[in-house]
Amino acid sequence: MIKIFEIREAFKQALDSIKVNRMRSFLASLGVVIGISFVLLMGWVLSGLDKAMSDSFKMMGVDVMYVDKHDWSGGKSWNEVRNRPNITLQQANKLIESLQSVELAVPVARRWQAEIKYGPNKYQGITAQGTYYQFGYTPGGSIEFGRFFSENEDQYSSNVVCLGWKVYETMFPKGDAIGKTIKIEGHNFLVIGVLKKQGTTFFDFIDNIVYMPLSTFLKTFGKFRRTFSIAVKAGSEENLDNARAEVEGKMRIIRNLQPGEENDFSINESKAFEDQVKIIRTVVWSVGIGMTLLSFVVGIIGIINVMFVSIFERTREIGIRKALGAKKRTILLQIVFEAMLLSLLGAIISFFFTSFIAYITGTIIIEYVPQVEFLSPFMPYDLLIIASIISIFVGIFAGLVPAIRASNFDPVIALRYE
Amino acid sequence: MDNNILIKTEGLSKIYQMESAQVIALKDINLEIKHNEYVAIMGPSGSGKTTLMSILGCLDTPSSGSFYLDGVDVSSLDDNQLAEIRNKKIGFVFQTFNLLPRANCIKNVELPLIYSGVAKEERYGKAVKALEDVGLGDRMTHKPTELSGGQRQRVAVARALVNNPSLIFADEPTGNLDTKTGEEIMKLFAELWKKGNSIILVTHEEDIARHAHRIIKLRDGVVIDDFRNPNPVIA
């Protein structure tokens, strides 16, 4: 049985010998520093991405889905999607009337790549959406300043508009948008509201949007050969599956699909973005994992190397210890602890190093490169714990072979080693 | 078995298997050493005295024959059990001192106690006492490099004594010391013997061996002489 005092002693000895060879210890742990830094930075980027994504979903509403001709996830071929028949306003309204299990459903018409002008400011590439006033009740329609348009404005096709956050920020950098008249594709609109910011970083295209009453939209951009989508709010995340099933069933009837025929429409959820993010994740991981593994191999070799030098340098000391009653496992523990501490030392150095990078990124670099906004200025704690555990295992792994070698030294020979 | 017998060997042999040939280091050694004996093992280099000391000191195991230490058959023990015997029953003093260079005197002397799991305070007390006993009460926090050869060897003696062993091995303890300092160390051994310790001295020097009360001479792995020293040198 290994006793506590043996562990304590092995730990102390290991610490001593690292202290004596500071420079060598540092160089030995450098490989681990690089390896752990990679792991930490990668985890940091990914956790930033995840958070940005889930924040955006929350803002858009996790219980909202869009019935659409197009497929957002990119899972369907472009040709197939293009050949689908448009969803007409009649079909959209039919669906909305027939749905029973959902909280809210409204038709949405879109114009992509629209251009907005305000005075000398021009902003291209926004999405103009026409919908019913009820859209204001969904998370996607929640208002930061001003108000959403009313039922009346919808009925009378008023030229009023609510701006997405990014549009607002770009067109009105000084704020104060409400009551201003802007031009959308050459038509005058009165700004009555600004929507809450929804997307973070990579997802800020979500805020590249303006909302107007559907009747206004159709009057302005025309109603012929237009496809509509239907925004459906399930009411709760639990009801999502239920609602999706109802939407799909009803929509198939409306579209006259026979059993066995494929859907000629898509039900898109905010989760569709997840697939896109997954691609980014996979790229980050595969680059990162490769680099990490490589640097860990280098790290392990570095430690093994130094440990071998160290045990041969201390052959005599090991002989003395054995002569005085150190058992095999005492020596084994000492060497393994030393390797483990070296590795842990590397991990600690990389904690400081990566935390520094994270902090600089979150406080200074962000001023110049706003795209890094999704990155937290602090390393997540759970990552530090995981990295410590990895480094401990790396150390034990690297220390094992030299430790076994040292513990098997013949004391008679070791004592006479010069 | 006689309770007073510390070491007993029967047909003890050690054969080293080299690539092409066998080297017989010890052949059929039959010895009996009692408690509180002061024995010198003598012989020229290559006589097998170092091999004998390694086996009697439980650093090595014999190829054949048996070896009883304090009534325990040591030749059948495994590495860990041998380590424990070395720790509890044997104290070593080496020609080259073999102190840990980075540790101070106290830490060096404490080492055997650490391996036997003695608690910190008790360990410290025993180490201090052992250092005082060899006359180094004022050098306790010095490192070996800050001490003279004679002082280093005293630290080694203190370390050998600290666990109260049954037997102290001294392998050419004066080999790296000048004559005067060597004499002082031999005086220390004489005192230890008087206090009831058993001492085995391994040496090739007649002058040193004459301090012992019994002299065993080896040549080519065989005991060629084993006699009482009629008048040991009183240092």
Side-chain angles (χ1 to χ4, degrees):
Chain A
M1 266 299 292
I2 295 178
K3 297 179 191 80
I4 302 289
F5 75 83
E6 285 183 286
I7 293 173
R8 201 175 47 216
E9 189 54 30
F11 190 78
K12 257 166 57 187
Q13 296 299 342
L15 208 59
D16 270 359
S17 96
I18 288 175
K19 269 195 236 156
V20 168
N21 291 302
R22 269 172 233 260
M23 194 60 196
R24 194 170 73 189
S25 304
F26 171 72
L27 290 175
S29 59
L30 211 55
V32 176
V33 172
I34 296 167
I36 295 286
S37 297
F38 268 125
V39 172
L40 289 173
L41 291 175
M42 208 164 61
W44 173 56
V45 170
L46 289 178
S47 78
L49 264 177
D50 285 349
K51 194 169 175 303
M53 186 170 70
S54 74
D55 282 356
S56 302
F57 291 163
K58 254 182 235 149
M59 287 308 296
M60 287 174 65
V62 281
D63 65 334
V64 174
M65 61 189 113
Y66 287 85
V67 183
D68 206 307
K69 176 181 169 181
H70 301 284
D71 195 280
W72 295 0
S73 65
K76 297 272 189 292
S77 81
W78 169 239
N79 245 335
E80 186 197 328
V81 170
R82 201 183 49 179
N83 288 329
R84 286 171 169 178
N86 284 345
I87 299 174
T88 63
L89 187 55
Q90 286 74 19
Q91 287 175 333
N93 280 328
K94 225 175 180 175
L95 178 70
I96 290 164
E97 278 159 33
S98 67
L99 289 175
Q100 277 157 1
S101 69
V102 306
E103 190 185 310
L104 183 74
V106 286
V108 177
R110 289 195 188 86
R111 174 161 180 129
W112 308 98
Q113 304 294 329
E115 186 193 83
I116 299 189
K117 271 190 198 161
Y118 173 68
N121 292 349
K122 218 188 326 183
Y123 191 23
Q124 269 168 327
I126 61 133
T127 306
Q129 294 210 26
T131 184
Y132 287 171
Y133 71 95
Q134 290 102 321
F135 190 82
Y137 303 143
T138 70
S142 57
I143 285 291
E144 182 76 39
F145 309 123
R147 58 178 180 84
F148 208 73
F149 53 84
S150 67
E151 195 177 355
N152 269 336
E153 285 162 330
D154 202 353
Q155 261 174 16
Y156 295 109
S157 311
S158 312
N159 278 16
V160 291
V161 71
C162 291
L163 305 181
W165 185 260
K166 199 161 181 219
V167 178
Y168 162 73
E169 262 192 331
T170 316
M171 300 294 290
F172 297 95
K174 289 181 195 141
D176 195 24
I178 311 294
K180 299 278 157 45
T181 302
I182 60 169
K183 271 190 183 344
I184 302 176
E185 294 288 296
H187 304 271
N188 283 332
F189 281 86
L190 179 69
V191 178
I192 56 165
V194 174
L195 295 158
K196 279 207 167 90
K197 181 176 163 65
Q198 303 190 350
T200 2
T201 332
F202 299 126
F203 308 100
D204 64 356
F205 59 87
I206 298 169
D207 294 316
N208 246 336
I209 207 163
V210 297
Y211 287 99
M212 61 185 74
L214 185 62
S215 54
T216 315
F217 180 93
L218 297 176
K219 180 186 82 187
T220 312
F221 301 114
K223 61 178 90 171
F224 298 109
R225 297 174 64 184
R226 181 165 292 288
T227 185
F228 293 82
S229 60
I230 303 106
V232 179
K233 189 175 191 301
S236 68
E237 218 179 330
E238 294 75 48
N239 194 33
L240 203 58
D241 289 333
N242 208 0
R244 189 189 305 113
E246 194 195 359
V247 166
E248 189 179 2
K250 298 262 164 74
M251 195 63 190
R252 283 182 67 88
I253 295 168
I254 292 165
R255 300 279 266 181
N256 271 325
L257 295 175
Q258 300 304 312
E261 232 178 310
E262 243 189 277
N263 286 347
D264 59 357
F265 56 92
S266 290
I267 300 176
N268 299 304
E269 292 167 44
S270 47
K271 280 188 180 142
F273 292 121
E274 239 169 89
D275 295 331
Q276 298 183 4
V277 176
K278 259 181 205 150
I279 296 168
I280 306 176
R281 273 191 87 100
T282 315
V283 171
V284 174
W285 266 114
S286 43
V287 172
I289 284 285
M291 302 258 238
T292 306
L293 284 182
L294 200 69
S295 48
F296 270 130
V297 169
V298 174
I300 289 172
I301 291 173
I303 291 182
I304 290 180
N305 218 340
V306 164
M307 291 317 295
F308 265 120
V309 171
S310 167
I311 63 165
F312 285 118
E313 203 178 70
R314 283 184 293 167
T315 300
R316 188 152 187 164
E317 178 192 320
I318 291 164
I320 297 170
R321 290 178 184 278
K322 284 196 144 188
L324 298 182
K327 298 190 171 102
K328 271 187 180 183
R329 62 159 188 258
T330 323
I331 304 295
L332 190 93
L333 270 182
Q334 184 188 334
I335 306 296
V336 166
F337 267 125
E338 195 173 323
M340 198 184 82
L341 282 176
L342 277 180
S343 182
L344 197 58
L345 177 84
I348 290 168
I349 294 173
S350 40
F351 292 169
F352 284 110
F353 173 63
T354 53
S355 296
F356 178 73
I357 288 182
Y359 191 72
I360 292 293
T361 306
T363 53
I364 296 172
I365 295 179
I366 198 169
E367 301 282 326
Y368 304 98
V369 192
Q371 282 83 353
V372 300
E373 166 207 34
F374 73 103
L375 292 168
S376 150
F378 303 104
M379 273 288 151
Y381 284 111
D382 48 352
L383 270 182
L384 298 187
I385 293 166
I386 292 170
S388 312
I389 293 170
I390 293 178
S391 75
I392 286 172
F393 277 109
V394 164
I396 291 174
F397 181 74
L400 220 47
V401 175
I404 290 171
R405 186 74 177 271
S407 70
N408 281 324
F409 277 165
D410 180 344
V412 178
I413 296 166
L415 276 169
R416 278 169 177 68
Y417 187 89
E418 293 295 336
Chain B
M1 192 182 279
D2 189 344
N3 269 344
N4 201 29
I5 291 179
L6 176 62
I7 285 175
K8 185 179 167 68
T9 71
E10 285 167 348
L12 196 74
S13 300
K14 182 73 183 179
I15 298 163
Y16 290 108
Q17 190 68 51
M18 298 301 185
E19 264 171 47
S20 52
Q22 284 187 339
V23 177
I24 301 172
L26 290 175
K27 202 160 73 186
D28 195 26
I29 306 283
N30 297 291
L31 278 178
E32 244 184 49
I33 298 173
K34 293 192 175 68
H35 278 287
N36 198 19
E37 270 199 86
Y38 189 170
V39 183
I41 297 177
M42 284 201 67
S45 65
S47 62
K49 63 180 192 304
T50 302
T51 306
L52 183 59
M53 191 202 85
S54 297
I55 293 174
L56 296 185
C58 295
L59 289 165
D60 205 352
T61 47
S63 307
S64 62
S66 50
F67 162 36
Y68 296 89
L69 179 69
D70 254 350
V72 178
D73 184 2
V74 175
S75 43
S76 64
L77 299 182
D78 66 21
D79 280 0
N80 279 340
Q81 291 166 318
L82 286 177
E84 220 167 311
I85 298 257
R86 288 198 295 272
N87 182 250
K88 300 231 160 73
K89 299 203 164 177
I90 296 167
F92 288 100
V93 178
F94 299 97
Q95 178 178 3
T96 48
F97 320 131
N98 278 341
L99 300 172
L100 299 187
R102 298 196 302 262
N104 65 24
C105 294
I106 294 221
K107 286 266 182 288
N108 264 293
V109 175
E110 272 184 336
L111 211 53
L113 299 172
I114 287 172
Y115 291 134
S116 52
V118 174
K120 204 174 172 183
E121 293 76 26
E122 190 186 344
R123 207 161 74 200
Y124 184 81
K126 282 189 174 180
V128 169
K129 170 96 176 35
L131 281 167
E132 280 168 350
D133 284 352
V134 297
L136 285 176
D138 55 343
R139 292 281 190 279
M140 297 207 256
T141 54
H142 286 58
K143 289 193 174 165
T145 42
E146 299 159 352
L147 300 175
S148 71
Q151 285 169 328
R152 288 184 207 186
Q153 198 58 302
R154 279 167 192 273
V155 177
V157 172
R159 184 179 67 185
L161 284 173
V162 75
N163 233 355
N164 240 336
S166 315
L167 177 60
I168 295 166
F169 273 99
D171 183 11
E172 307 275 10
T174 59
N176 272 12
L177 302 173
D178 61 67
T179 318
K180 186 170 165 289
T181 322
E183 281 303 316
E184 279 169 25
I185 293 294
M186 292 322 292
K187 201 169 147 190
L188 192 58
F189 280 120
E191 281 166 23
L192 294 177
W193 172 74
K194 269 181 213 150
K195 283 181 189 164
N197 287 291
S198 315
I199 297 167
I200 296 183
L201 193 64
V202 178
T203 184
H204 65 278
E205 286 179 76
E206 287 282 353
D207 287 351
I208 299 300
R210 279 192 297 137
H211 290 81
H213 297 221
R214 176 182 167 190
I215 295 173
I216 297 169
K217 287 193 170 171
L218 284 181
R219 178 167 294 166
D220 299 329
V222 185
V223 175
I224 53 165
D225 211 350
D226 183 352
F227 60 97
R228 300 240 135 248
N229 182 5
N231 37 12
V233 179
I234 315 287

